[in-house]
Amino acid sequence: MPETEKIRAELERLVPGASWPRTYPEGKVPEGYFGTLPGRVLDAVASLEDHAREASWGKTNPYTVPAGYFDRLPGIIAKKVTPAHPVMMLPRQRRLSRWSSWAAAAVITVLIALSGLLWFSRPPSHSTGPSFDQQIASLSSEAIEQYLNTSTSALNTDELLNTLNDDNLDDASSRQLSGQDLEKFLSEEIPDSLY
Amino acid sequence: MENDAILLQQFHQPETREAAFTAIMHKYQERLYWHIRRMVVNHEDADDLLQNVFIKVWNHLDDFKENAQLYTWLYRIATNECLTFLEQQKKRAAVSLSDVATGLEDKLKADTQYDPQKLEWKLQQAILQLPEKQRLVFNLRYYDEMPYEEMSQVLGTSEGALKASYHHAAKKIEAYIKANV
């Protein structure tokens, strides 16, 4: 069955009795429109191609480079990218493992946190007077000399303590002296030779 | 009328390229024009779009796969041009708060031959009420008498969907004409 008959039968099934016109209403097309259209399209195509040609501005480069520039360039670049001293690569075993790095980072973080905690939890300074440096500056040289001649410094005490033999201390602490032994020891006459 | 395959061979030869293209235009211009005109209503718009279609054909005919039909390929390009144009119109209408369907109806009524008493104009008004895709399907089937298989190549839609679309379109047109007798 030709397509026209198929379409007619199909429409009759869909809309029984439909007698719709099959032609488009005679909308005006300017006289000679279809006769001139191909020529106008070809003109338009030619015009577009001319525009495309005009738009290509050429690629001649007006700039120049010093003679031999491109021959030397790879060598110059190679020198710049090659390090002056060869880089020593540590063997893999000697590099810190990832876990070691993380552990070190964690320790440092904890130390920083503790330092901060101690710093902020220390008792506040009540000093409102002149600073330590100012006080030192206000002292006369005579006063300082006198102080150094008469005072016993904490440093000297520490030095004395350091001279004690640890073994002696252990012996003393390990000796189990009874109260009577101590009394006897204290009541004994101390020989003059010891003075 | 020369065979499409021969025209394509001639188009690929530089010395016969322009003559072959002119022959293709002569062969298909009226069908494509009316296909576009039914979609955009106005002659000036149809003329612009048809010229764009042929310019695109000139630029891309070398890439055309010859296992497809030239005729469906041309319709496909024309249809895409129409849909793109109508989409642009919609965007403009959205900005100006007008309605594209109303705009097309206005263009229809502005035609010097317009006669609301004549059934052919009433049918055009009914068709303009349809959604774009249904309008396309109805026009291709009813006016261009295109088989569903070819229509499927033009619109990239299954034959079943096209049949359903044509069915809906015919029913809506019937209802519109009955209501406006």
Side-chain angles (χ1 to χ4, degrees):
Chain A
M1 189 191 290
E3 200 64 28
T4 307
E5 287 306 310
K6 277 189 198 170
I7 292 167
R8 199 185 302 278
E10 181 186 34
L11 189 65
E12 184 58 31
R13 274 200 315 277
L14 291 171
V15 186
S19 56
W20 301 337
R22 195 156 287 277
T23 51
Y24 192 77
E26 291 302 312
K28 282 281 179 194
V29 176
E31 205 175 325
Y33 172 74
F34 290 115
T36 59
L37 182 70
R40 285 189 291 127
V41 171
L42 285 173
D43 286 347
V45 166
S47 169
L48 286 173
E49 286 178 350
D50 284 347
H51 277 297
R53 267 193 295 275
E54 282 166 17
S56 63
W57 295 322
K59 293 183 177 177
T60 312
N61 188 358
Y63 299 109
T64 54
V65 291
Y69 171 74
F70 291 110
D71 295 332
R72 292 193 305 274
L73 186 65
I76 294 166
I77 302 293
K79 270 185 198 163
K80 288 191 175 178
V81 298
T82 310
H85 303 290
V87 175
M88 293 288 287
M89 290 297 289
L90 288 173
R92 183 170 284 276
Q93 294 80 0
R94 288 179 62 189
R95 289 184 212 163
L96 282 177
S97 72
R98 181 173 291 193
W99 284 109
S100 306
S101 307
W102 280 110
V107 168
I108 290 165
T109 308
V110 167
L111 285 174
I112 291 167
L114 283 174
S115 307
L117 193 67
L118 289 170
W119 174 262
F120 287 109
S121 61
R122 74 197 163 102
S125 170
H126 297 292
S127 167
T128 54
S131 69
F132 179 74
D133 288 342
Q134 286 170 331
Q135 288 178 36
I136 292 293
S138 66
L139 290 173
S140 66
S141 303
E142 291 78 10
I144 294 170
E145 267 183 36
Q146 191 184 354
Y147 170 77
L148 291 174
N149 289 333
T150 54
S151 71
T152 52
S153 69
L155 182 65
N156 292 338
T157 310
D158 287 341
E159 283 171 352
L160 285 170
L161 286 170
N162 285 336
T163 59
L164 286 173
N165 189 337
D166 290 348
D167 295 338
N168 295 339
L169 287 172
D170 288 342
D171 289 347
S173 60
S174 61
R175 235 180 255 154
Q176 296 296 316
L177 295 173
S178 66
Q180 289 170 338
D181 289 340
L182 282 171
E183 264 187 22
K184 187 183 171 190
F185 174 74
L186 291 170
S187 64
E188 278 177 357
E189 266 190 54
I190 301 169
D192 291 340
S193 61
L194 288 176
Y195 289 101
Chain B
M1 279 295 166
E2 283 198 76
N3 182 295
D4 285 347
I6 294 169
L7 287 174
L8 285 170
Q9 275 178 2
Q10 291 173 346
F11 183 82
H12 296 316
Q13 307 298 319
E15 62 277 14
T16 50
R17 189 178 179 86
E18 207 170 294
F21 184 63
T22 305
I24 289 168
M25 282 195 282
H26 276 298
K27 188 174 179 182
Y28 289 107
Q29 63 178 355
E30 287 200 41
R31 273 195 268 180
L32 292 175
Y33 172 84
W34 288 112
H35 172 55
I36 295 168
R37 176 78 185 267
R38 287 183 205 112
M39 288 303 292
V40 300
V41 177
N42 180 289
H43 166 74
E44 282 70 31
D45 293 337
D47 179 39
D48 283 347
L49 293 177
L50 184 60
Q51 289 195 39
N52 288 345
V53 168
F54 280 127
I55 289 168
K56 283 188 176 165
V57 170
W58 172 269
N59 289 329
H60 298 284
L61 197 55
D62 282 324
D63 308 326
F64 172 70
K65 304 276 184 297
E66 293 183 28
N67 52 355
Q69 277 195 66
L70 180 61
Y71 146 79
T72 52
W73 186 68
L74 295 174
Y75 262 86
R76 197 178 170 93
I77 295 172
T79 302
N80 284 341
E81 281 293 307
C82 287
L83 293 177
T84 306
F85 173 81
L86 292 170
E87 200 58 41
Q88 287 167 350
Q89 296 284 98
K90 268 188 209 165
K91 284 178 186 164
R92 279 187 203 150
V95 171
S96 63
L97 302 174
S98 66
D99 181 31
V100 174
T102 314
L104 291 176
E105 232 182 307
D106 289 344
K107 285 178 185 174
L108 191 76
K109 288 173 183 171
D111 196 298
T112 52
Q113 304 293 305
Y114 177 73
D115 182 353
Q117 302 307 314
K118 284 189 175 173
L119 187 57
E120 59 256 43
W121 287 105
K122 212 168 272 183
L123 179 60
Q124 291 310 308
Q125 271 184 298
I127 294 169
L128 285 181
Q129 311 305 313
L130 300 173
E132 260 161 40
K133 296 279 166 62
Q134 278 184 21
R135 204 145 64 86
L136 265 174
V137 173
F138 185 83
N139 286 338
L140 288 173
R141 184 73 178 155
Y142 190 77
Y143 289 111
D144 291 308
E145 301 189 342
M146 193 179 277
Y148 285 116
E149 189 188 348
E150 288 174 8
M151 213 191 292
S152 171
Q153 289 167 26
V154 171
L155 300 177
T157 312
S158 72
E159 289 184 37
L162 292 170
K163 282 176 187 172
S165 194
Y166 182 71
H167 177 100
H168 287 300
K171 288 289 182 190
K172 283 181 191 171
I173 290 167
E174 181 194 23
Y176 182 89
I177 290 175
K178 274 185 184 169
N180 289 280
V181 170

